[in-house]
Amino acid sequence: MERTTRTASGRIRTFGAAGAAVLVGLASVVIAWWRLGPVARGTVWAEDGGIFLRERIALGPVDSLLHP
C-alpha cells in the first residue's frame, strides 16, 4: 500500500484555488448588489416582509432567526 504525501506547494495550490473561488463569489455578490440600485435594495420583496421586519425589531437579531 503506497502512502501519498502532500507537499507544501500542493497545499498552497489548493488554498489558492479555494481563495480564488471565494473571491470570485464575493465579487459576484457585490456586483449584483450594486446593480440593483438604491430603490430595489430598500424594498422588501416578500409577501410576509412586514411580519419579518416587525419580528426582527421586536425580538432582536438572534431570536428573530430562531423564532418559528
Side-chain angles (χ1 to χ4, degrees):
M1 190 159 147
E2 281 187 42
R3 182 176 177 179
T4 58
T5 58
R6 291 188 60 165
T7 63
S9 64
R11 282 187 227 127
I12 291 171
R13 261 188 299 226
T14 301
F15 288 125
V22 168
L23 285 176
V24 167
L26 186 60
S28 299
V29 168
V30 168
I31 290 170
W33 182 254
W34 175 71
R35 288 187 64 200
L36 280 175
V39 175
R41 286 191 303 252
T43 303
V44 178
W45 293 99
E47 296 168 349
D48 297 328
I51 295 170
F52 295 142
L53 291 175
R54 281 193 298 276
E55 286 184 356
R56 167 64 169 87
I57 292 169
L59 299 173
V62 176
D63 289 336
S64 65
L65 292 174
L66 302 175
H67 181 39

